């Protein structure tokens, strides 16, 4: 047994006119769309015009398009979802803007009653009146049979929508949605269309248009063309940095009618340094006509635009390196994001993008040419700790602690990550006699720091002003984090983590005392074991702080006790 759906017309009208569209202002777009499609249906040589008037809040839109017959009025205006822009198989016809047959309902956002007076050549005039509660009336042949073919739509005011029906608002909306339309559109005799595409002019014209339309003076403009999608337009390069986490909105027109001002699906995520204005004859809108339908054609257009942006960067690198440097200073994040998966952009980053090193800014290509192997650390705090020490050992170190840097370096040959503990192999060992003489001191210092899981070494290295250095390898950092976690969890998980620690051998962090430092040599010669121990504790705490290492509760206790102990020795008595 089959049944048909029961449709509540009042509910359908409310659903489509109040929930499909994001704002009441789209009613102007839908009226312009219908008018332009009616003009297009007459033929390519027809000179179309659309006249909008605003009188006492009543909106009238008159076009000299093809008009409708009585049968079409019943079929199209009274059937939700039916559109004259479809062929007999139901496919959207290419030359028309509208496809869904629901645009007129958007007028109920600002009107309680819609009146349509229309006539097709050789046919009697027809009047259709629709009400917001779902009722409609059709009257044929009453008057207007001698009028010019075309359609007049009248919107009677809806309370609360006054701001959307003023002359100023209608002019602004007509310009917003229809400024590029190839027909004259007037609002109370004010022309709102230009009829030309702004990117069809000179580069200066495009830059001026970008500044006026997008609200910023573009760094540069990149012409765009994707014939497969019938797409033309321009990408305007932002003059200031943009957040990679925010996908920029792009201004998209379909057959010269504005679809939306903030379409994010047009470009890949890495291209956040441009804002585009494009027109397409082939891309498909969603039913609300406020976004693009995400299909294979949109994906192909997105890839093609990405290739054109990439090509602009490559050409800029070859033709104007100074200009490229200015761009990279502003938009290095976008270029680095692209270099993660694009070999051509990776070469551009390698050749042109300066990176922070312990000897100043330098490109990766220069570093490889001068030093063969590029060494880096992937933590900013670690770089700060090691920069001066590595430079003193003639080791050039790249700071790869910023966004994308580590992943970019991983894609390049002759690049290696430096483990901080590797530096100890470059430090000088103290002579044999000195080492033997200081063995009791080092043993006492080691017993002092065993409870903190730290190994004590004595070396000579530059800069001599640095008394001690706290170094952690990857294995040591893992072990320290594992121990800190064990201290925080319950007994069951502590046992589990203990088993992991036993199964995975880890190195211990190292406190490398600098025998080239006069203060360290004096501490090594102290005859008071307690004072020497406090001094070692203080050197440990200072090395933690200078290296921006996390401070555990045990470390904080040691810092406090060593400070108070040394202060007590300085002033005499107990603290």
């Amino acid at each position: 047994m089959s049944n048909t759906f029961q449709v509540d017309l009042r509910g359908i009208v409310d659903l489509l006119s109040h929930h499909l569209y994001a704002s009441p202002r789209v009613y102007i777009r839908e009226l312009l769309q219908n008018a332009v499609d009616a003009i297009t249906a007459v033929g390519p040589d027809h000179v179309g015009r659309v006249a909008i008037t605003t009188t006492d809040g009543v909106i009238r839109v008159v076009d000299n398009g093809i008009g409708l017959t009585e049968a079409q009025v019943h079929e199209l205006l009274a059937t939700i979802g039916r559109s004259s822009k479809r062929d007999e198989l139901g496919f959207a016809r290419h030359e028309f803007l509208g496809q869904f047959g629901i645009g007129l309902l958007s007028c109920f956002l600002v009107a309680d009653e819609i009146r349509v007076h229309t006539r097709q050549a050789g046919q009697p005039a027809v009047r259709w009146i629709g009400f917001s509660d779902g009722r409609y009336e059709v009257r044929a042949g009453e008057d207007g049979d001698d009028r010019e073919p075309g359609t007049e739509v009248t919107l009677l005011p809806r309370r609360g929508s006054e701001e959307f029906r003023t002359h100023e608002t209608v002019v602004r909306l007509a310009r917003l949605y229809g400024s590029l339309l190839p027909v004259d559109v007037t609002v109370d005799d004010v022309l709102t269309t230009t009829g030309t595409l702004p990117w069809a002019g000179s580069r200066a014209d495009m830059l001026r248009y970008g500044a006026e339309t997008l609200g910023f003076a573009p760094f540069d403009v990149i012409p765009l063309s994707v014939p497969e999608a019938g797409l033309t337009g321009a990408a305007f390069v932002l003059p200031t940095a943009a957040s990679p986490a925010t996908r920029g909105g792009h201004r998209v027109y379909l057959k010269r009618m504005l679809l939306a001002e903030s379409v994010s699906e047009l470009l890949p995520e890495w291209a956040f340094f441009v804002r585009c204005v494009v027109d397409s004859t082939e891309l498909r809108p969603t039913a609300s006509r406020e976004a693009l339908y995400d299909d294979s054609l949109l994906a192909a257009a997105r890839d093609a635009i990405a290739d054109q942006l990439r090509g602009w960067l490559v050409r800029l690198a070859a033709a104007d390196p100074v200009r490229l440097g200015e761009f990279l200073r502003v938009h290095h994040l976008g270029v680095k994001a692209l270099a993660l998966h694009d070999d051509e952009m990776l070469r551009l980053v390698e050749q042109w993008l300066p990176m922070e090193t312990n000897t100043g800014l330098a490109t990766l290509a220069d570093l490889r040419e001068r030093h063969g192997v590029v060494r880096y650390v992937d933590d900013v705090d670690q770089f700060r700790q090691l920069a001066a020490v590595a430079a003193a050992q003639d080791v050039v170190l790249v700071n790869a602690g910023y966004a994308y840097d580590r992943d970019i370096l991983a894609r390049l040959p002759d690049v290696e990550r430096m483990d901080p503990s590797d530096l100890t192999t470059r430090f000088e060992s103290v002579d044999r006699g000195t080492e033997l003489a200081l063995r009791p001191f080092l043993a006492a210092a080691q017993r002092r720091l065993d409870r903190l899981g730290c190994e004590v070494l004595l070396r000579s290295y530059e800069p001599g002003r640095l008394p001690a250095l706290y170094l952690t390898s990857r294995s040591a950092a893992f072990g320290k984090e594992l121990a800190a976690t064990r201290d925080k969890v319950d007994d069951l998980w502590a046992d589990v983590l203990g088993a992991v620690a036993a199964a995975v051998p880890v190195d211990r962090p190292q406190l490398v005392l600098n025998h080239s430092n006069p203060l360290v040599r004096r501490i090594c010669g102290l005859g008071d074991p307690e004072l020497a121990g406090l001094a070692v504790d203080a050197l440990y705490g200072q090395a933690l702080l200078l290296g921006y290492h996390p401070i555990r509760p045990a470390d904080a206790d040691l810092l406090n006790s060593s400070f108070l102990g040394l202060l007590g020795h300085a002033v005499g008595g107990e603290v």
Side-chain angles (χ1 to χ4, degrees), residues 261-409:
E261 298 176 274
S262 55
V263 176
S264 60
E265 304 85 6
L266 187 65
L267 293 184
E269 292 184 5
W270 57 259
F272 54 81
F273 54 85
V274 297
R275 296 292 179 267
C276 295
V277 182
V278 301
D279 177 62
S280 172
T281 60
E282 304 295 335
L283 294 178
R284 296 168 55 195
T286 58
S288 66
R289 290 186 50 80
E290 295 181 342
L292 289 171
Y293 187 76
D294 200 350
D295 57 9
S296 59
L297 182 58
L298 177 59
R302 185 163 48 234
D303 291 342
I305 294 174
D307 288 340
Q308 291 171 43
L309 297 181
R310 184 187 298 110
W312 172 79
L313 284 169
V314 173
R315 290 192 301 273
L316 194 63
D320 195 345
V322 174
R323 184 81 167 151
L324 176 68
E326 295 174 1
F327 170 81
L328 291 177
R329 279 192 290 274
V330 177
H331 295 297
H332 56 280
L333 283 178
V335 175
K336 288 195 290 187
L338 176 56
L340 293 182
H341 53 80
D342 186 278
D343 292 340
E344 201 162 6
M345 285 301 98
L346 182 65
R347 287 192 290 272
L348 186 146
V349 166
E350 181 184 10
Q351 292 290 330
W352 298 104
L353 186 65
M355 301 191 77
E356 182 182 3
T357 77
N358 58 341
T359 58
L361 294 176
T363 66
L364 295 173
D366 288 341
L367 291 175
R368 182 177 288 107
E369 183 179 348
R370 284 184 287 161
H371 304 284
V373 176
V374 176
R375 296 179 175 85
Y376 72 93
V377 291
D378 54 11
D379 181 85
V380 174
D381 289 337
Q382 197 173 76
F383 175 81
R384 292 171 181 168
Q385 178 197 15
L386 301 179
V389 178
Q393 319 310 314
D394 293 325
V395 175
V396 177
L397 203 57
V398 175
N399 182 4
Y402 300 115
Y404 308 121
D405 286 353
R406 178 181 61 186
D407 295 329
I408 286 174
L409 287 166

Side-chain angles (χ1 to χ4, degrees), residues 408-428:
I408 286 174
L409 287 166
R411 295 194 65 209
L412 293 170
D414 300 323
V415 173
E416 64 181 36
R417 181 187 182 277
M418 171 168 276
D419 197 306
S421 61
D422 293 343
L423 275 177
T424 59
T425 63
R426 297 175 176 268
F427 295 162
E428 293 183 18

Side-chain angles (χ1 to χ4, degrees), residues 176 205-219 236-240 249 251 261 274-277:
L176 173 67
D205 291 336
M206 287 192 286
L207 289 171
R208 184 166 49 252
Y209 171 82
E212 293 173 353
T213 304
L214 302 178
F216 61 85
F219 175 87
F236 298 91
V237 182
L238 294 169
T240 56
R251 196 181 185 95
E261 298 176 274
V274 297
R275 296 292 179 267
C276 295
V277 182

Side-chain angles (χ1 to χ4, degrees), residues 33 76 79-84 86 98-105:
Q33 169 191 301
L76 302 173
T79 305
I80 295 172
R82 183 68 59 84
S83 174
S84 63
R86 295 178 182 272
Q99 298 177 14
F100 301 100
I102 55 179
L104 191 63
L105 294 175

